[in-house]
Amino acid sequence: MLDNVKVILVGTSHSGNIGSAARAMKVMGLTEMVLVSPQCSVDEQTMSLASGAGDVAQHAKIVDTLEEAVSDCALVVGSSARSRTLEWPMLEPRECGVKFIQEAEKGKVALVFGRERTGLTNDELQKCHYHVCIPANPEYSSLNLAMAVQTLSYEIRMAWLEKEAQQYSAPVEEEYPRHKELELFYQHLENVILDTQFIAKDKPNLVMNKLRRLFSRARPELQELNMLRGILTSVEKSISDKK
């Protein structure tokens, strides 16, 4: 599923940013990079900053236009600051991750990042189905390219991991005790704490009411309740042996 996610960098001007973005991608399991009209080449600085993810940068596809980069994609999301002049459907990063994993089951999807200084043009943003904005500190919202790639790649991976867990983990069906079984437990508990003189015989309700509230809040499962009753039975046996 992650193989269907493209990370597209438009007009990148610093070769080191390609390497840093490749590293951010590979850490999160993304491997398909596309460079649209890059203003630099994949060089030694790229490989140095890729730090083990050089294969992602080396195998990056280079195209002339964004249209060519997204031609096979059913979902295209552009990374952008919120714009007051260009109203467009917006996604939060977490929503973006979930939507990517949903759509990546069916085919290619693309996450588009703009130039280091100016981002994506309005024309490029209008080629995207959605825009995604990282809600950074408004007093200092400066994210470099690799940081933005890392943040959104992380959300995609988290959505993928959650889907994998749901797919392969059998749902746990808890069995809870019925009311009469709870009442038998409370009676058992009261008998034991009376025998151990934890509560006075003339004022049992004061403590028992609090204990009832405690177990109601905890809502033990049937297996847990049986375990508690087993502990109480063990205490009773210990008291009996000492008599």
Side-chain angles (χ1 to χ4, degrees):
M1 196 181 301
L2 294 179
D3 290 340
N4 277 337
V5 178
K6 289 185 182 184
V7 174
I8 300 174
L9 309 183
V10 178
T12 310
S13 59
H14 300 291
S15 62
N17 286 338
I18 296 175
S20 296
R23 181 178 182 180
M25 289 171 58
K26 190 168 183 177
V27 165
M28 295 301 155
L30 306 181
T31 57
E32 186 169 357
M33 175 183 281
V34 181
L35 304 176
V36 176
S37 188
Q39 304 303 298
C40 59
S41 59
V42 174
D43 57 17
E44 289 184 3
Q45 188 178 19
T46 304
M47 301 307 292
S48 175
L49 290 177
S51 187
D55 56 323
V56 175
Q58 284 182 319
H59 293 108
K61 183 178 180 181
I62 300 175
V63 298
D64 294 326
T65 65
L66 182 57
E67 288 92 337
E68 185 179 353
V70 301
S71 61
D72 60 344
C73 296
L75 174 67
V76 181
V77 177
S79 176
S80 170
R82 292 187 184 274
S83 172
R84 295 181 181 179
T85 58
L86 181 63
E87 293 187 4
W88 213 257
M90 295 291 301
L91 295 173
E92 296 298 328
R94 195 136 301 173
E95 291 178 297
C96 180
V98 172
K99 185 167 283 294
F100 261 59
I101 294 306
Q102 291 172 342
E103 295 286 335
E105 284 190 298
K106 308 166 191 173
K108 291 288 185 179
V109 294
L111 187 57
V112 185
F113 297 88
R115 300 154 191 84
E116 290 94 334
R117 294 187 62 186
T118 59
L120 296 167
T121 66
N122 279 356
D123 183 56
E124 289 163 344
L125 285 168
Q126 289 179 50
K127 290 177 171 55
C128 302
H129 298 101
Y130 297 91
H131 299 168
V132 59
C133 176
I134 298 171
N137 178 4
E139 296 179 6
Y140 185 72
S141 58
S142 178
L143 283 170
N144 64 33
L145 178 60
M147 287 178 180
V149 172
Q150 183 78 84
T151 300
L152 296 177
S153 297
Y154 169 82
E155 293 296 350
I156 292 170
R157 183 167 187 80
M158 289 302 99
W160 175 73
L161 288 173
E162 184 174 347
K163 186 172 183 64
E164 289 289 291
Q166 292 172 352
Q167 182 175 352
Y168 294 109
S169 297
V172 178
E173 295 182 4
E174 296 88 355
E175 185 179 0
Y176 291 100
R178 292 165 292 181
H179 178 73
K180 66 178 182 179
E181 291 163 334
L182 277 171
E183 288 303 315
L184 287 171
F185 164 71
Y186 290 135
Q187 187 59 57
H188 195 171
L189 177 61
E190 184 176 346
N191 290 341
V192 170
I193 59 180
L194 279 170
D195 285 345
T196 58
Q197 299 181 352
F198 181 78
I199 59 175
K201 291 186 178 181
D202 56 337
K203 294 181 181 178
N205 290 338
L206 185 63
V207 172
M208 283 306 301
N209 287 342
K210 291 184 178 180
L211 288 172
R212 280 175 174 266
R213 186 171 60 188
L214 168 64
F215 286 107
S216 292
R217 188 167 61 245
R219 202 189 176 199
E221 298 166 15
L222 182 58
Q223 186 178 15
E224 294 168 333
L225 194 74
N226 289 338
M227 182 173 63
L228 290 171
R229 292 206 64 180
I231 293 171
L232 294 175
T233 299
S234 178
V235 172
E236 286 178 317
K237 184 176 183 302
S238 179
I239 294 172
S240 176
D241 289 345
K242 289 179 181 179
K243 287 182 176 179

